[in-house]
């Protein structure tokens, strides 16, 4: 995928309460404005990369890009699980991410247990891949130090503007 690494940011919105948090794997959802700017060569599936909330620390993440059942599978969703235990939810805050690599395509699972096992193996793969020097350096990218601290600092067009700038560098 030539668009990787892919940088983007947006406000964390409420998802569909599919119980990700109850499984121990909460996923922060991006609004359509971010999803709609995804380059065409970014296919659905599971990605790994780096993420930060507001202007906080940068952590490893896994992201699922999938077809969104709420829109009868005509729109994509982007859901990020940050590999860190936060004290509080961060709905309404700005999540900045860089998608670094692809793990696997989307698939369905026969049981909840099989799903959780797959996600935990995705998390392990993300940890190993992100420890590689070429991926580690993205954690220190200026993109994260320039993160706006609140979503009100994000003009409506920021998603596309920052993507264009950041992905051209
Ligand atoms: P929703 O359906 O609203 O997305 P989830 O059960 O998936 O609900 O929980 C997602 C929310 O949990 C995020 O929007 C965020 O506020 C919070 N959260 C807490 N810890 C994390 C984390 N490590 N990664 C992602 N989101 C987290
Ligand atoms: Mg979620």
């Amino acid at each position: 995928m030539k668009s990787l690494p892919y940088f983007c940011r947006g406000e964390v919105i409420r998802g569909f309460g599919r119980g990700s948090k109850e499984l121990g794997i909460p996923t922060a959802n991006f609004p359509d404005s971010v999803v709609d700017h995804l380059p065409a060569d970014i296919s659905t599936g599971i990605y790994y990369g780096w993420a930060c909330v507001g202007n906080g620390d940068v952590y490893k993440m896994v992201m699922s890009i999938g077809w969104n059942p709420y829109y009868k599978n005509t729109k994509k969703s982007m859901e990020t699980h940050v590999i860190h235990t936060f004290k509080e939810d961060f709905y309404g805050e700005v999540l900045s991410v860089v998608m670094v690599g692809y793990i696997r395509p989307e698939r369905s699972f026969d049981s909840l247990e099989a799903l959780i096992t797959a996600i935990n193996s995705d998390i392990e793969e993300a940890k190993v891949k992100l420890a590689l020097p070429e991926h580690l350096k993205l954690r220190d990218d200026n993109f994260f130090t320039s993160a706006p601290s609140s979503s009100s600092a994000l003009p409506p067009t920021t998603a596309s503007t920052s993507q264009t700038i950041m992905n051209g560098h």
Side-chain angles (χ1 to χ4, degrees):
M1 281 175 222
K2 64 174 171 43
S3 298
L4 296 180
Y6 182 71
F7 294 82
C8 62
R9 64 166 54 104
E11 183 180 340
V12 175
I13 60 159
R14 290 200 174 264
F16 317 103
R18 279 183 293 199
S20 320
K21 206 175 284 168
E22 286 69 32
L23 304 181
I25 314 157
T27 58
N29 288 59
F30 274 133
D32 291 344
S33 56
V34 176
V35 182
D36 291 345
H37 282 103
L38 274 175
D41 70 324
I42 299 279
S43 54
T44 58
I46 313 299
Y47 292 78
Y48 61 87
W50 298 102
C52 95
V53 176
N55 44 23
D57 292 339
V58 181
Y59 300 108
K60 293 169 179 165
M61 66 80 167
V62 288
M63 181 194 287
S64 158
I65 298 186
W67 293 107
N68 194 328
Y70 186 82
Y71 293 103
K72 300 194 164 66
N73 298 334
T74 55
K75 264 188 169 283
K76 284 177 195 165
S77 69
M78 291 168 79
E79 303 189 23
T80 305
H81 172 66
V82 186
I83 306 175
H84 176 74
T85 304
F86 291 87
K87 289 202 192 77
E88 285 175 357
D89 286 350
F90 44 86
Y91 290 111
E93 296 206 43
V94 176
L95 178 69
S96 300
V97 303
V98 55
M99 293 158 59
V100 175
Y102 187 68
I103 299 180
R104 62 172 173 87
E106 265 193 300
R107 51 164 289 205
S108 58
F109 293 91
D110 297 337
S111 68
L112 208 54
E113 204 181 20
L115 169 67
I116 295 173
T117 303
I119 297 171
N120 283 324
S121 112
D122 296 337
I123 290 172
E124 288 315 307
E125 183 169 342
K127 286 180 180 169
V128 171
K129 293 268 172 61
L130 289 165
L132 298 170
E134 79 244 44
H135 295 153
L136 208 49
K137 71 175 199 290
L138 286 165
R139 182 190 58 187
D140 302 320
D141 196 280
N142 285 340
F143 177 72
F144 290 115
T145 44
S146 65
S149 54
S150 81
S151 58
S152 58
L154 276 180
T157 53
T158 296
S160 58
T161 318
S162 67
Q163 280 166 22
T164 310
I165 295 166
M166 296 315 302
N167 290 296
H169 82 158

